[in-house]
Amino acid sequence: MKDAHGRTIDYLRISLTDRCNLRCVYCMPADGIAQVAHDDVLRYDEIVRLVSVAAQMGVRRVRLTGGEPLVRKGVVDLVRAVAQVPGIEDVSLTTNGIALARMAEGLHDAGLHRVNVSLDTLDPADFRAITRGGDVNQVLAGIDAALAVGFNPVKVNAVAVRSLHQDYFRFALLSVEKPLHVRFIEYMPVGDSAGCGGAGWGPEDVIPCDEIRQIINDRCAQEGLEGLVPVDDSHKPTGGGPARYYQFPGALGTVGFISPLSRHFCGDCNRLRITSTGGLRPCLFSDSELDLRSVLREGSDDEVRAVLARALHTKPEEHEELDHARATETNMNAIGG
Ligand code: SAM
Ligand code: SF4
């Protein structure tokens, strides 16, 4: 599929649910979200049909996200069904890792071969504060389980927020002894959580990835270690997406930087997003949404195709400059990141 600006669109990100077993301050309000009626959420058979139609149009990769995808019942069966859709070459999943230790093997057997785990800090108290109650050890156990059952690559994504004072150096070192691909993602002040459930963060909390890399390299210099070196294309992890990758010399994994704000990567954007209620979003930074659910429920495959084609036509060439907080009012848990 090509969009109106000549970009190849071969990647669908599908949110399975708005619900989550955590309440990260930058993503969800403290008291959770308004319940979405069960009927409004896409059923698994609808998702599989959508993926089949999209695959006929050229989609090759699907990422399942949320909310927390692992809290949705039967997710292993969905993974199996999506992985079997003709034309789909790659199924991946983004999770907070809380349930991963117990589910890793089943997911892997079902055809999921790579996973992204979101983790912003290794400090138990900071993790509890960011996630409003989570236990970092469960996530670390999930990451180890993912490596043990053979997920490859396993990426660990940290949202960098200036006010959080994260220890980027310590975090990046996760990539040294284990084949983990640590990635720092610039915080996006979007959604009605742009006020961040009281945390009060805004655009000033965006910390550009170049600054994070500099902080890591400065610490390396202080500790007498060699700093990060760029990774050539052949050593980048599969599904690298818009990240720029580096590595500590001799490390088993890599350190990546994703800069949605400081460096637009709209020119390489290859994706469409589906919300849990079947809204088709051409751009992460816009609330513009097409209704897929009703055509999946009442329409033919051709009509589903037509909605996908319309999304390709309306996909913006690039998102607007900040203030992104104004660009979208929807919380990240509803879009899936
Ligand atoms: N629950 C899963 C998880 O946390 O990985 C999947 C959904 S979550 C919305 C997807 C990703 O979006 C996570 O990596 C999360 O850290 C990121 N995210 C949420 N809100 C964000 C924000 N305001 N800016 C940047 N990333 C954000
Ligand atoms: Fe849940 Fe993921 Fe949002 Fe955190 S970032 S509240 S884990 S959906």
Side-chain angles (χ1 to χ4, degrees):
M1 296 199 281
K2 290 257 189 224
D3 74 358
H5 309 286
R7 293 170 295 200
T8 300
I9 309 296
D10 61 358
Y11 179 25
L12 277 191
R13 288 179 73 104
I14 304 175
S15 172
L16 299 186
T17 177
D18 286 2
R19 294 175 163 200
C20 189
N21 43 5
L22 296 179
R23 293 276 179 278
C24 301
V25 290
Y26 47 68
C27 179
M28 279 220 202
D31 45 2
I33 40 154
Q35 289 273 359
V36 175
H38 186 69
D39 262 5
D40 289 345
V41 175
L42 284 190
R43 298 190 308 263
Y44 283 162
D45 61 304
E46 292 166 342
I47 293 175
V48 174
R49 176 161 170 237
L50 165 63
V51 171
S52 304
V53 173
Q56 288 158 21
M57 295 174 75
V59 164
R60 295 291 165 258
R61 300 162 51 203
V62 173
R63 174 170 296 278
L64 305 176
T65 175
E68 173 49 37
L70 299 188
V71 302
R72 185 152 170 195
K73 250 180 148 166
V75 63
V76 172
D77 295 329
L78 177 73
V79 164
R80 188 174 296 109
V82 170
Q84 285 172 0
V85 169
I88 295 301
E89 295 164 2
D90 178 49
V91 186
S92 54
L93 179 129
T94 301
T95 173
N96 60 30
I98 292 289
L100 193 54
R102 130 178 100 71
M103 296 181 70
E105 191 166 6
L107 288 163
H108 194 264
D109 290 351
L112 187 77
H113 293 136
R114 56 196 194 86
V115 71
N116 289 7
V117 181
S118 303
L119 174 64
D120 301 333
T121 176
L122 298 173
D123 182 275
D126 289 347
F127 184 81
R128 242 189 333 271
I130 294 168
T131 59
R132 298 192 181 102
D135 175 0
V136 72
N137 289 317
Q138 288 182 307
V139 183
L140 295 173
I143 291 171
D144 283 341
L147 289 173
V149 302
F151 279 99
N152 184 16
V154 177
K155 295 178 188 160
V156 181
N157 291 336
V159 175
V161 184
R162 203 179 285 280
S163 307
L164 286 179
H165 306 295
Q166 292 140 298
D167 187 341
Y168 304 121
F169 174 68
R170 183 172 168 218
F171 205 85
L173 288 182
L174 280 180
S175 68
V176 174
E177 285 175 6
K178 295 181 181 174
L180 291 173
H181 302 280
V182 170
R183 300 169 344 143
F184 295 101
I185 303 175
E186 289 171 0
Y187 162 62
M188 294 175 247
V190 297
D192 62 17
S193 64
C196 284
W201 300 334
E204 66 285 358
D205 274 297
V206 177
I207 171 158
C209 280
D210 287 348
E211 192 176 328
I212 300 173
R213 191 160 51 89
Q214 191 60 50
I215 291 169
I216 294 171
N217 281 335
D218 288 350
R219 263 298 283 287
C220 287
Q222 283 166 19
E223 311 272 338
L225 300 170
E226 285 181 78
L228 292 168
V229 290
V231 170
D232 65 64
D233 281 353
S234 60
H235 288 88
K236 287 181 182 168
T238 317
R244 285 170 301 126
Y245 284 95
Y246 297 79
Q247 194 167 38
F248 291 117
L252 294 178
T254 63
V255 180
F257 297 92
I258 303 181
S259 320
L261 303 186
S262 67
R263 287 168 199 244
H264 278 200
F265 40 69
C266 304
D268 298 324
C269 187
N270 59 354
R271 59 201 61 188
L272 295 175
R273 293 179 158 80
I274 320 287
T275 67
S276 63
T277 51
L280 173 54
R281 290 197 169 220
C283 175
L284 175 62
F285 289 108
S286 160
D287 279 334
S288 130
E289 190 171 300
L290 301 168
D291 173 24
L292 258 178
R293 187 181 64 213
S294 44
V295 281
L296 281 167
R297 291 195 177 161
E298 291 148 28
S300 63
D301 283 1
D302 276 346
E303 284 169 285
V304 175
R305 240 185 295 275
V307 176
L308 287 167
R310 191 142 31 97
L312 295 180
H313 276 287
T314 55
K315 196 169 160 60
E317 186 166 13
E318 57 179 38
H319 62 72
E320 288 168 19
E321 285 299 334
L322 281 174
D323 179 359
H324 296 289
R326 251 182 278 129
T328 168
E329 276 305 313
T330 316
N331 285 339
M332 208 54 111
N333 71 292
I335 316 173

